[in-house]
Amino acid sequence: MKIKLLGLLPSEIESVVLEEGLPRFTAKQIVDWLYHKKVRSIDEMTNLSKVAREKLSEKYEVGVTAYAGLAESSDGTKKYLFPVEIARPGGWKNLDGTPATEKSAVEAVMIPDEDRATLCVSSQSGCRMGCKFCMTGRQGFHGNLSAADILSQFIAVDESDKLTNTVFMGMGEPLDNYDTVKRVIDILTAEWGFGWSPKRITLSTIGVIPNLRRYLDETRCHLAVSLHNPFPEERYAMMPVQKAWNIRDVLELIRKYDFTGQRRVSFEYTMFAGYNDDKRHADALARLLSGLECRVNLIRFHKIPDFPYDCSPTPVMEVFRDRLCRSGVTTTIRASRGEDILAACGMLAGEHNKKNQ
Ligand code: SF4
C-alpha cells in the first residue's frame, strides 16, 4: 500500500523529499499542490520534474478518497458516503508485517444555508462513547480516521471550493481522536494550508476533559458541548461518559477560558419528550450555565429504533426556550436539516454498518 501525502505537515513532506534525494524546495511545491490546489494525483504536480514525480509515485500517492455514495435532501442538504480503511484495533498485522485494516464507511454532510455551506465531518468510524440516543454510538467503535480520511471529506465533496464553515459533529467523538483532529485543524487554518480562519471551525464534544483542555489551549476554534441534561444521574443514563467526565467538571474547565470575544461556546440540548424538557430541567440548566457567555441550541430528536423517547412537541420546546431566555441564557431551536436522508443530528451511521443494526 502506498503512503499518503495528504495530511502530512510541511516538515514531514520535507523529510520525504530529502529521503527521496529530491531538492528541498520540492517540499514547498508539494504542499502548495496538496493544500492550495488540492490535486488528486502526483502526476498533476506539473512543476515537479518528471523524474521527481516518477520517484515519488513509487512509494507515495496523494491520498484523496473519492466519495462512493450521495443522498440529497429536499432542503438541499447533501450526505456523502466515504469508504475508509481502518487499522484493526489490537495492533493486528498482515503476514507481510503491514498493519491489518478493515473496510468501513463514514459520512459527511453538507448543509447549505443562504450564503453559507457548512460541512459536518466525521472523525471516527463508529464511536466508543455509547450515547443511547445516537445511531453512530449504537454501531460501536471501528477505529479512528486518519488525517487523509478527514481531509478527503473537505476536498472530495462537490462543494469543496464553496465551503464556508465546518463542524466536527459527524460520526465519532473528535476529542477521542484528538491528535489527528488537531493536525487537520492546523492544516485547515495554516497559510500554507487551506488558510481558513479558526472562526469557521467548530468542534462538538461530549466533554473528554484532558483533550478538551488541550483543544482550548492549542486552537482558537469554537466549541460546542453535547449537554442534553443538567442532572448528573439523568445525563449518565443517556450518556455513559458522564461517569468519567462529569458535566460539572467540563463546565468548570470551560469557565477558565474567554468566550466573550471572537471565540464562542454553545451547548447542544436534544429534547426528549417527558425526559429532559420540563421547568425543572430548564431552571437547572440555567443555573448550570449562569454567568457564562454562551448559547444553547435545542435540537429536535429524530426517533431511532428501540429507543423509548420521542422528540418533545414544538410548543414544549418553545416554552423551554422562552424559560431559558428569561433566565438570561440565549437559546434557539435549531432548524432540523436533512432528516429525509438520515443526515440530521444523531442519525449518521454509515451505509456499510447499517446491516448490523
Ligand atoms: Fe459518539 Fe457523539 Fe454519538 Fe455520543 S452522540 S455516541 S459522542 S457520535
mmCIF file of all heavy atoms in Angstrom, residues 124 126-138 169-174 204-206 226 228 239 241 346, ligand 1:
data_model
loop_
_atom_site.group_PDB
_atom_site.id
_atom_site.type_symbol
_atom_site.label_atom_id
_atom_site.label_comp_id
_atom_site.label_asym_id
_atom_site.label_seq_id
_atom_site.Cartn_x
_atom_site.Cartn_y
_atom_site.Cartn_z
ATOM 1 N N GLN A 124 -14.268 9.637 13.312
ATOM 2 C CA GLN A 124 -14.041 8.227 13.639
ATOM 3 C C GLN A 124 -15.061 7.385 12.868
ATOM 4 O O GLN A 124 -16.108 7.890 12.464
ATOM 5 C CB GLN A 124 -14.255 7.971 15.143
ATOM 6 C CG GLN A 124 -13.283 8.704 16.043
ATOM 7 C CD GLN A 124 -13.521 8.387 17.514
ATOM 8 O OE1 GLN A 124 -14.651 8.447 17.993
ATOM 9 N NE2 GLN A 124 -12.466 8.031 18.221
ATOM 10 N N GLY A 126 -17.692 4.811 13.599
ATOM 11 C CA GLY A 126 -18.347 4.400 14.840
ATOM 12 C C GLY A 126 -17.918 5.334 15.958
ATOM 13 O O GLY A 126 -17.337 6.395 15.713
ATOM 14 N N CYS A 127 -18.209 4.933 17.178
ATOM 15 C CA CYS A 127 -17.865 5.781 18.324
ATOM 16 C C CYS A 127 -17.876 4.911 19.559
ATOM 17 O O CYS A 127 -18.709 4.020 19.680
ATOM 18 C CB CYS A 127 -18.881 6.920 18.462
ATOM 19 S SG CYS A 127 -18.485 8.074 19.788
ATOM 20 N N ARG A 128 -16.941 5.188 20.495
ATOM 21 C CA ARG A 128 -16.934 4.333 21.687
ATOM 22 C C ARG A 128 -17.664 4.969 22.867
ATOM 23 O O ARG A 128 -17.618 4.440 23.966
ATOM 24 C CB ARG A 128 -15.525 3.907 22.052
ATOM 25 C CG ARG A 128 -14.560 4.976 22.432
ATOM 26 C CD ARG A 128 -13.233 4.344 22.832
ATOM 27 N NE ARG A 128 -12.157 4.948 22.096
ATOM 28 C CZ ARG A 128 -11.090 4.301 21.663
ATOM 29 N NH1 ARG A 128 -10.955 3.027 21.895
ATOM 30 N NH2 ARG A 128 -10.143 4.935 21.005
ATOM 31 N N MET A 129 -18.318 6.122 22.645
ATOM 32 C CA MET A 129 -18.929 6.840 23.767
ATOM 33 C C MET A 129 -20.313 6.285 24.138
ATOM 34 O O MET A 129 -20.789 6.504 25.244
ATOM 35 C CB MET A 129 -19.030 8.338 23.461
ATOM 36 C CG MET A 129 -17.675 8.983 23.238
ATOM 37 S SD MET A 129 -16.605 8.854 24.691
ATOM 38 C CE MET A 129 -14.989 8.781 23.932
ATOM 39 N N GLY A 130 -20.953 5.607 23.208
ATOM 40 C CA GLY A 130 -22.167 4.848 23.541
ATOM 41 C C GLY A 130 -23.384 5.645 23.975
ATOM 42 O O GLY A 130 -24.206 5.132 24.747
ATOM 43 N N CYS A 131 -23.538 6.877 23.500
ATOM 44 C CA CYS A 131 -24.751 7.635 23.857
ATOM 45 C C CYS A 131 -25.971 6.866 23.354
ATOM 46 O O CYS A 131 -26.010 6.437 22.196
ATOM 47 C CB CYS A 131 -24.716 9.034 23.239
ATOM 48 S SG CYS A 131 -23.263 9.977 23.724
ATOM 49 N N LYS A 132 -26.950 6.724 24.216
ATOM 50 C CA LYS A 132 -28.067 5.824 23.931
ATOM 51 C C LYS A 132 -28.953 6.289 22.764
ATOM 52 O O LYS A 132 -29.656 5.500 22.152
ATOM 53 C CB LYS A 132 -28.966 5.682 25.174
ATOM 54 C CG LYS A 132 -28.246 5.171 26.408
ATOM 55 C CD LYS A 132 -28.164 3.651 26.390
ATOM 56 C CE LYS A 132 -27.754 3.044 27.706
ATOM 57 N NZ LYS A 132 -26.379 3.322 28.098
ATOM 58 N N PHE A 133 -28.957 7.601 22.513
ATOM 59 C CA PHE A 133 -29.884 8.168 21.520
ATOM 60 C C PHE A 133 -29.237 8.331 20.151
ATOM 61 O O PHE A 133 -29.832 8.934 19.259
ATOM 62 C CB PHE A 133 -30.361 9.550 22.004
ATOM 63 C CG PHE A 133 -29.218 10.439 22.418
ATOM 64 C CD1 PHE A 133 -28.537 11.185 21.477
ATOM 65 C CD2 PHE A 133 -28.808 10.485 23.747
ATOM 66 C CE1 PHE A 133 -27.473 11.980 21.845
ATOM 67 C CE2 PHE A 133 -27.735 11.281 24.127
ATOM 68 C CZ PHE A 133 -27.065 12.029 23.170
ATOM 69 N N CYS A 134 -28.035 7.799 19.973
ATOM 70 C CA CYS A 134 -27.257 8.125 18.774
ATOM 71 C C CYS A 134 -27.020 6.878 17.913
ATOM 72 O O CYS A 134 -26.549 5.853 18.405
ATOM 73 C CB CYS A 134 -25.927 8.736 19.213
ATOM 74 S SG CYS A 134 -24.759 8.955 17.879
ATOM 75 N N MET A 135 -27.322 6.990 16.635
ATOM 76 C CA MET A 135 -27.149 5.862 15.714
ATOM 77 C C MET A 135 -25.665 5.483 15.580
ATOM 78 O O MET A 135 -25.330 4.315 15.450
ATOM 79 C CB MET A 135 -27.686 6.237 14.329
ATOM 80 C CG MET A 135 -29.180 6.376 14.277
ATOM 81 S SD MET A 135 -30.024 4.798 14.473
ATOM 82 C CE MET A 135 -30.110 4.282 12.776
ATOM 83 N N THR A 136 -24.790 6.477 15.597
ATOM 84 C CA THR A 136 -23.354 6.172 15.490
ATOM 85 C C THR A 136 -22.897 5.401 16.720
ATOM 86 O O THR A 136 -22.187 4.400 16.618
ATOM 87 C CB THR A 136 -22.527 7.476 15.367
ATOM 88 O OG1 THR A 136 -23.057 8.269 14.320
ATOM 89 C CG2 THR A 136 -21.073 7.168 15.100
ATOM 90 N N GLY A 137 -23.335 5.873 17.887
ATOM 91 C CA GLY A 137 -22.935 5.217 19.133
ATOM 92 C C GLY A 137 -23.389 3.766 19.170
ATOM 93 O O GLY A 137 -22.703 2.896 19.700
ATOM 94 N N ARG A 138 -24.533 3.496 18.574
ATOM 95 C CA ARG A 138 -25.084 2.139 18.588
ATOM 96 C C ARG A 138 -24.230 1.129 17.835
ATOM 97 O O ARG A 138 -24.270 -0.055 18.104
ATOM 98 C CB ARG A 138 -26.444 2.145 17.936
ATOM 99 C CG ARG A 138 -27.462 2.733 18.831
ATOM 100 C CD ARG A 138 -28.718 2.006 18.591
ATOM 101 N NE ARG A 138 -29.743 2.540 19.454
ATOM 102 C CZ ARG A 138 -31.013 2.363 19.231
ATOM 103 N NH1 ARG A 138 -31.390 1.691 18.170
ATOM 104 N NH2 ARG A 138 -31.888 2.836 20.068
ATOM 105 N N MET A 169 -18.789 17.284 13.861
ATOM 106 C CA MET A 169 -20.018 16.892 14.543
ATOM 107 C C MET A 169 -20.622 15.671 13.858
ATOM 108 O O MET A 169 -21.775 15.319 14.068
ATOM 109 C CB MET A 169 -21.004 18.071 14.465
ATOM 110 C CG MET A 169 -21.995 18.173 15.581
ATOM 111 S SD MET A 169 -23.106 19.579 15.328
ATOM 112 C CE MET A 169 -22.377 20.836 16.345
ATOM 113 N N GLY A 170 -19.850 15.041 12.955
ATOM 114 C CA GLY A 170 -20.343 13.865 12.256
ATOM 115 C C GLY A 170 -20.138 12.631 13.120
ATOM 116 O O GLY A 170 -20.333 12.666 14.339
ATOM 117 N N MET A 171 -19.725 11.545 12.495
ATOM 118 C CA MET A 171 -19.572 10.307 13.257
ATOM 119 C C MET A 171 -18.320 10.379 14.132
ATOM 120 O O MET A 171 -17.262 10.808 13.689
ATOM 121 C CB MET A 171 -19.480 9.132 12.287
ATOM 122 C CG MET A 171 -20.747 8.997 11.450
ATOM 123 S SD MET A 171 -20.558 7.874 10.056
ATOM 124 C CE MET A 171 -20.567 6.300 10.887
ATOM 125 N N GLY A 172 -18.459 9.918 15.374
ATOM 126 C CA GLY A 172 -17.312 9.843 16.269
ATOM 127 C C GLY A 172 -17.198 11.026 17.212
ATOM 128 O O GLY A 172 -17.874 12.041 17.062
ATOM 129 N N GLU A 173 -16.374 10.852 18.220
ATOM 130 C CA GLU A 173 -16.083 11.904 19.196
ATOM 131 C C GLU A 173 -14.706 12.477 18.820
ATOM 132 O O GLU A 173 -13.677 11.815 18.988
ATOM 133 C CB GLU A 173 -16.076 11.287 20.609
ATOM 134 C CG GLU A 173 -15.392 12.100 21.680
ATOM 135 C CD GLU A 173 -15.907 13.533 21.818
ATOM 136 O OE1 GLU A 173 -17.092 13.728 22.092
ATOM 137 O OE2 GLU A 173 -15.089 14.469 21.627
ATOM 138 N N PRO A 174 -14.676 13.720 18.300
ATOM 139 C CA PRO A 174 -13.404 14.245 17.792
ATOM 140 C C PRO A 174 -12.296 14.321 18.843
ATOM 141 O O PRO A 174 -11.119 14.168 18.509
ATOM 142 C CB PRO A 174 -13.755 15.637 17.258
ATOM 143 C CG PRO A 174 -15.137 15.925 17.702
ATOM 144 C CD PRO A 174 -15.794 14.635 18.045
ATOM 145 N N SER A 204 -17.457 19.759 18.135
ATOM 146 C CA SER A 204 -18.520 19.360 19.054
ATOM 147 C C SER A 204 -18.069 18.143 19.855
ATOM 148 O O SER A 204 -17.588 17.162 19.285
ATOM 149 C CB SER A 204 -19.776 19.022 18.245
ATOM 150 O OG SER A 204 -20.754 18.494 19.099
ATOM 151 N N THR A 205 -18.227 18.226 21.173
ATOM 152 C CA THR A 205 -17.745 17.132 22.029
ATOM 153 C C THR A 205 -18.725 16.867 23.158
ATOM 154 O O THR A 205 -19.505 17.741 23.537
ATOM 155 C CB THR A 205 -16.370 17.500 22.642
ATOM 156 O OG1 THR A 205 -15.951 16.443 23.516
ATOM 157 C CG2 THR A 205 -16.425 18.801 23.438
ATOM 158 N N ILE A 206 -18.627 15.641 23.691
ATOM 159 C CA ILE A 206 -19.400 15.367 24.891
ATOM 160 C C ILE A 206 -18.602 15.773 26.130
ATOM 161 O O ILE A 206 -19.112 15.705 27.229
ATOM 162 C CB ILE A 206 -19.784 13.883 24.984
ATOM 163 C CG1 ILE A 206 -18.563 13.027 24.721
ATOM 164 C CG2 ILE A 206 -20.876 13.532 24.031
ATOM 165 C CD1 ILE A 206 -18.763 11.635 25.166
ATOM 166 N N SER A 226 -22.083 18.749 23.925
ATOM 167 C CA SER A 226 -23.342 17.993 23.985
ATOM 168 C C SER A 226 -23.723 17.851 25.448
ATOM 169 O O SER A 226 -23.078 17.102 26.179
ATOM 170 C CB SER A 226 -23.155 16.596 23.379
ATOM 171 O OG SER A 226 -22.774 16.720 22.039
ATOM 172 N N HIS A 228 -27.393 17.990 26.973
ATOM 173 C CA HIS A 228 -28.596 17.153 26.935
ATOM 174 C C HIS A 228 -29.340 16.940 28.257
ATOM 175 O O HIS A 228 -30.497 16.522 28.235
ATOM 176 C CB HIS A 228 -28.309 15.776 26.304
ATOM 177 C CG HIS A 228 -27.653 15.862 24.964
ATOM 178 N ND1 HIS A 228 -28.103 16.684 23.973
ATOM 179 C CD2 HIS A 228 -26.547 15.236 24.453
ATOM 180 C CE1 HIS A 228 -27.326 16.559 22.907
ATOM 181 N NE2 HIS A 228 -26.360 15.709 23.176
ATOM 182 N N MET A 239 -25.907 9.049 28.632
ATOM 183 C CA MET A 239 -24.537 9.249 28.160
ATOM 184 C C MET A 239 -23.563 8.668 29.183
ATOM 185 O O MET A 239 -23.184 9.331 30.151
ATOM 186 C CB MET A 239 -24.263 10.750 27.982
ATOM 187 C CG MET A 239 -25.234 11.436 27.045
ATOM 188 S SD MET A 239 -25.042 13.232 27.054
ATOM 189 C CE MET A 239 -23.517 13.433 26.143
ATOM 190 N N VAL A 241 -20.604 8.416 29.325
ATOM 191 C CA VAL A 241 -19.379 9.186 29.507
ATOM 192 C C VAL A 241 -19.461 10.107 30.723
ATOM 193 O O VAL A 241 -18.445 10.507 31.284
ATOM 194 C CB VAL A 241 -19.092 10.009 28.228
ATOM 195 C CG1 VAL A 241 -20.068 11.157 28.105
ATOM 196 C CG2 VAL A 241 -17.667 10.496 28.186
ATOM 197 N N GLY A 346 -27.348 12.980 15.063
ATOM 198 C CA GLY A 346 -27.552 11.681 15.707
ATOM 199 C C GLY A 346 -28.010 10.582 14.773
ATOM 200 O O GLY A 346 -28.199 9.445 15.185
HETATM 201 FE FE1 SF4 B 1 -20.402 9.335 19.865
HETATM 202 FE FE2 SF4 B 1 -21.415 11.806 19.572
HETATM 203 FE FE3 SF4 B 1 -22.926 9.651 19.080
HETATM 204 FE FE4 SF4 B 1 -22.252 10.212 21.611
HETATM 205 S S1 SF4 B 1 -23.537 11.475 20.257
HETATM 206 S S2 SF4 B 1 -22.175 8.178 20.630
HETATM 207 S S3 SF4 B 1 -20.186 11.052 21.304
HETATM 208 S S4 SF4 B 1 -21.096 10.262 17.939
#
